[in-house]
Structure formats: structure tokens, C-alpha cells
Amino acid sequence: MTEFSAENLQKDAFLGGKLHLWQPVKGYRAGVDPVLLAASVPAKPGQTVLDLGCGAGAAALCLGVRVAQLQLYGVEREPAYAALARRNGLEAAQDFTVTQADLAQMPAPLRAMSFDHVISNPPYYDRAHGTAAPDRVREAALGEDLPLAEWIGIGARRVKPRGYLHLILKADRLADALSAMNSCLGSLEVLPLAPRVDRAAELVLMRGRKEGRAPLKLHAPLILHRGADHPGDKDHYTKVVSDVLRCGAPITY
């Protein structure tokens, strides 16, 4: 599929309406994960950012809303999503160059480049321990076919000296990610994302630095929701997380 039909597209608001993205009605749709990932990247104006598996562009473009004058790049395997990411970048008036390619067969011009920040929300379900989604494109976004260690290695090779690789992952893939990152990056940091107080983290934000030498740092968890349970239809995010999702505030760790 090279593009989505008009009837299978809708425009969704992100960051309290600061960004609008076309997304398919059916298929993989960006949720809060890419928004949280973008918020965690301490990019500075003028820097370069590469989003691996960028989908419709949510993470890169959310970061571009918060930090001006970034040079944004994306790689996306699925042609329809790559086309959608280009459209979203154009309509958001952001400098966003999207390459349609498999990460394992990245074009030579892109392999020749390096970036201040490489970001990714990789497919994080280990299908040795789970069931594939019936929709092929949704499964490609969720289920691991390229091993996570290879995904991380590809990202690390695109990072400039002293630059960063940033990930958001399911917490049960943390050991795999740390093992892979230890082989090519240093100054590793992990921020657990817990759904509520006294609940185990289900997601983690993590980053590593090219040529970093600091020891591993495990931060106190960021709590996503207020209260002990979910009251009705309201999102009930904590103020810190609500500011990230609604106002484009950064996550500092």
C-alpha cells in the first residue's frame, strides 16, 4: 500500500492543538508513547534529529513543536506511513525529511550522516512470547521482526560523538535494551513510567550517549495518572504529564 485512502484518514490534535497529524482511522495510530519520547529529548535549536521507524511522524514533529529550528529526519519502512509523515511535516511547516526504507537496508546517503539525537519508539513486543496483531501494518509497528539489539545498533551508529540515542520501550524489554546499549553507548539513563503510585512501571524512557563514561543512572519513576484507579472517561493525568501531553512541556531526567 503506497498511500491511505481519504476515507481512512482523520486529522488528530496533539500537544493541546499545537500540532495536527493525519493518521489512519484503521491501522497503527500514535498514542502517548511518541509524545512522551519527544518530550524527553533535550535537543537544542539547530541540532539534527533522526526518528527511526517514524510512522506518521508523531515523535519527530512533537519535538519540532517544542524546539525551534531542528533539522528533522525520519526513516519509515511502510510507504503509506512515509508519505503521511511527509504530508504531516509539510502541513506543520517543519523541516522534516522522510526516507522510505527498511532500517536494515538504509540508503547510503543516510548511512553517511550522523545526528545529535536519534530517537525511536521501536516495535517492542517479543513475538516469542505473544500473539501477532491481525493487521499487517499494525503488527509491523508493534511486533519485533528486526531484533531489538540490531535496532539499537543501527541507531547508535547514526549518533554523532557525544550525541544521544533515546528510546521508549515496554519495561519487560529493559534488560534486552540495556545489554544492547552497553555494547555501543555509555552514560545510560533509565526513567521508569508507572501508571500510578505503588504500581509497577509498564514503560521506560531510556537514553545512552556516544562516548559517554558516566555510570548507569536509574531515576525515580514518573507517575502518569493521579489516584488509585481510573475514574470514568477522564484521563486523570498528573500535572507533569498533562503539561507534556497538552502543552508540549519537556520531561527532564
Side-chain angles (χ1 to χ4, degrees):
M1 180 174 59
T2 58
E3 63 180 24
F4 293 103
S5 61
E7 59 270 19
N8 189 29
L9 287 177
Q10 69 179 40
K11 206 169 193 180
D12 299 316
F14 287 77
L15 305 179
K18 293 181 175 65
L19 176 67
H20 291 83
L21 299 177
W22 289 103
Q23 297 200 94
V25 176
K26 296 180 180 179
Y28 174 74
R29 294 171 50 78
V32 300
D33 292 12
V35 184
L36 295 172
L37 173 63
S40 74
V41 179
K44 299 177 182 178
Q47 288 188 326
T48 55
V49 180
L50 173 63
D51 186 354
L52 298 181
C54 67
L61 294 173
C62 282
L63 178 55
V65 167
R66 179 168 62 83
V67 183
Q69 299 176 353
L70 294 176
Q71 298 175 56
L72 302 171
Y73 295 80
V75 180
E76 172 54 45
R77 181 174 65 179
E78 298 295 332
Y81 279 92
L84 205 54
R86 294 186 193 102
R87 178 181 179 181
N88 285 329
L90 185 63
E91 294 190 11
Q94 293 199 33
D95 182 3
F96 189 29
T97 302
V98 179
T99 299
Q100 188 270 309
D102 192 303
L103 294 187
Q105 299 174 336
M106 200 177 295
L110 201 54
R111 293 201 310 271
M113 299 176 67
S114 58
F115 301 85
D116 296 294
H117 300 275
V118 175
I119 67 175
S120 188
N121 178 17
Y124 44 52
Y125 288 104
D126 182 352
R127 288 312 187 206
H129 305 284
T131 303
D135 179 85
R136 183 191 66 81
V137 177
R138 180 173 174 79
E139 172 59 20
L142 298 176
E144 176 183 283
D145 54 4
L146 182 68
L148 181 60
E150 291 186 33
W151 194 287
I152 288 171
I154 290 166
R157 287 193 290 274
R158 301 279 67 78
V159 177
K160 289 181 178 180
R162 308 299 292 169
Y164 292 90
L165 173 66
H166 307 262
L167 303 173
I168 186 166
L169 290 166
K170 294 283 286 184
D172 61 8
R173 303 306 306 275
L174 177 58
D176 298 328
L178 285 173
S179 177
M181 292 176 79
N182 264 324
S183 69
C184 52
L185 299 165
S187 302
L188 305 186
E189 296 187 64
V190 179
L191 177 65
L193 303 176
R196 298 184 186 280
V197 173
D198 296 329
R199 300 275 187 92
E202 296 178 1
L203 294 168
V204 293
L205 285 163
M206 56 190 308
R207 65 184 172 221
R209 192 171 196 183
K210 182 73 71 71
E211 302 177 356
R213 297 183 180 276
L216 171 69
K217 183 178 292 186
L218 178 62
H219 293 269
L222 175 64
I223 308 301
L224 301 183
H225 297 277
R226 293 177 284 124
D229 51 31
H230 197 72
D233 295 332
K234 296 183 179 180
D235 58 40
H236 228 237
Y237 288 112
T238 60
K239 185 179 187 311
V240 170
V241 174
S242 182
D243 286 348
V244 168
L245 299 179
R246 310 294 181 226
C247 306
I251 293 173
T252 302
Y253 77 100

